[in-house]
Amino acid sequence: MFKKKSLFGVVILLSLGLTAKSQVKIGFEVSFTEPQAHYAEVEMNISGINKDYVDVKMPVWAPGSYLVREFSKNVEGFKASAAGKPVKFEKVRKNIWRIYGAKANQLKINYRVYAFEVSVRTSFVDASHAFLSSTGIFMYPEGHLKSPSTVKVVPYQGWSKVSTGLEPVAGQQFTYTAKDFDILFDSPIEVGNQDVFEFMASGVKHEVAMYGGGNYDKERLKVDMAKIVEQGTAIYGENPNKHYTFIVHNYERGGGGLEHLNSTVLGASRNQYNNERGYNGFLDLVAHEYYHLWNVKRLRPVALGPFDYDNEVYTTNLWIAEGFTAYYENKLTLRAGFNDQNAFVNKLAGAVAAVENTPGAKVQSAAMASYDAWIKQYRPDENSSNNSISYYSKGEVIGLLMDLAIANATKGAKSLDDVMKAMYLQGKTQGRGYTDAEFKAMVEKVSGISFTSFWDKYVTGTEPVDYKTYFAYAGVTVKDDNEGKSTPYLGVASRKTEGRMFITAVSRNSAAWTSGLNVNDELLSINGVPIEAAIERMPELTSKKVGDVVNIKVGRDGKVVDFAVTLKANPSIRLVAKIDENATPAQKAVLKRWTGI
């Protein structure tokens, strides 16, 4: 009897708690009074939080971009009121404002956000449009990340369109709803007069919002982007969205992308759509970011959600999250018909060479590159290539090797596609992300072989890639065009600044490294000949042999310093891949399963 009464009381208390939480209402209105000065005006209304004070917080980073960006630095003019009267507030942390509302049922908060950084992950406002990257625009009440909110956008005069992945509120123009702040923070918003077109693919309506103009062909893009969508959906067997939005920013020179749950933001060059290289580069970007719809946004490392927006979130698995996505953009564009098999294998051979030619690949593992993303990937310096490797680049190569190993072990019956689909479905069932051990276990389950040695070599280790063995599984021969050559090599990168040549990088263990040449040294002469262009291409260097000594004069800290440099051989590899026409039936089976062609 006592237990039953206690249980009844608990149910009553829980019901009251849920009712109280459901009464919390959070709404935003974003407007633009001075877009030419790069400001967005934000009004935030909160009701139902009956406390002595309310802390409102702004994220310090944006999911998908692993760098603390301190978005609160752009906030100004913060003020709060209740019942039309100002209330006291104070800033208690770099990104937290404490509002003393005396248990007011309704609070109104106003602030401005300065937005003038062009990138796919930061907000930008000017007289022509507004791009709102939500983590840098909206605040949330502490303890209410799971609360729903609404956003009303008031376009500036002359602006007529809003593009976003958020759900529209019926009957209210430019008003949207998010079931929680994870959804709101994952939903960028484009406001202006963007060129909007739509296409259907895999049963999902896709909207493309083009800002900045360009020489793109909408009808061609509708067809080709749909092909990419369908190839991605074919791998996973389902497309989890009801609608999807591409926000494309076209600049004179643009690039990059950032994934979101049912949208993406892409940077592109407006006049590159009508040449093959530029157009295929854009499709590569579309494929990469769209593949993230599954890999990262749903199939994700366990650390990547729910998010802590105050602090760094660490994982050793970005080589899967981003590296595999870089790998799969190649598979999607191949299967969509934008490349052939020869182009596919050579592009991947080039990816292997890029990793092997990076000195940092011998220093930092893929797992550690993932973990150190917060301090290395987005904060490169002159020595980065010597002490680190991109988890994008190394992860792409690991994906290639793993794919070929699985196809070979299963005699062409399985591939990495099967691992990715199984992990996606497992994540749906478990309702959480995966651990490194769980991902490895699935690879071993699908392939039927141990991957412990593979992990030790390529994931947590820094061993050179045995690319010839892996490519051979699919009947692909790979040749190093630099093999047997002995090309003299100094090992510096340089840049001309105001007519003077300065060293910008020195490669580990190169002749320059050993001799003591430094970044920021001004290159004055080589063997008495003034240096007015890239030293690596000067006859005074290219005419020499490995082992020859050259005299290089540099300016350093206002002094002239002479160096006798003994030239070493260029260690770089240049890989060329070819599909063997005389491949065995077993190799052909691997090739077919690997490429999907």
Side-chain angles (χ1 to χ4, degrees), residues 228-248:
I228 290 170
V229 170
E230 288 159 359
Q231 290 300 327
T233 304
I235 292 172
Y236 290 94
E238 65 178 32
N239 194 306
N241 286 321
K242 292 186 292 184
H243 57 86
Y244 190 94
T245 302
F246 292 92
I247 297 173
V248 185

Side-chain angles (χ1 to χ4, degrees), residues 183-250:
I183 296 295
L184 178 58
F185 290 148
D186 202 30
S187 302
I189 303 170
E190 176 70 22
V191 191
N193 294 310
Q194 57 270 24
D195 182 18
V196 177
F197 60 90
E198 298 177 351
F199 65 88
M200 291 291 296
S202 298
V204 177
K205 184 180 81 170
H206 293 75
E207 175 184 311
V208 183
M210 289 281 198
Y211 164 77
N215 56 10
Y216 53 86
D217 180 336
K218 286 189 280 190
E219 297 307 313
R220 185 185 182 191
L221 282 174
K222 289 179 185 179
V223 173
D224 289 346
M225 292 172 76
K227 290 178 181 178
I228 290 170
V229 170
E230 288 159 359
Q231 290 300 327
T233 304
I235 292 172
Y236 290 94
E238 65 178 32
N239 194 306
N241 286 321
K242 292 186 292 184
H243 57 86
Y244 190 94
T245 302
F246 292 92
I247 297 173
V248 185
H249 293 153
N250 293 299

Side-chain angles (χ1 to χ4, degrees), residues 517 521-524 552-556 559-561 563:
L517 292 173
D521 283 349
E522 181 184 357
L523 290 164
L524 300 175
I552 297 177
K553 192 183 295 292
V554 305
R556 178 184 294 175
K559 299 178 180 179
V560 175
V561 186
F563 291 90

Side-chain angles (χ1 to χ4, degrees), residues 61-62 65-68 304 311-315 318 369-379 391:
W61 67 287
S65 180
Y66 307 101
L67 175 69
V68 173
L304 298 186
N311 302 288
E312 296 95 332
V313 176
Y314 294 99
T315 173
L318 293 182
S370 301
Y371 195 86
D372 281 346
W374 298 93
I375 58 175
K376 286 183 179 284
Q377 176 69 24
Y378 291 95
R379 291 175 174 167
Y391 49 78

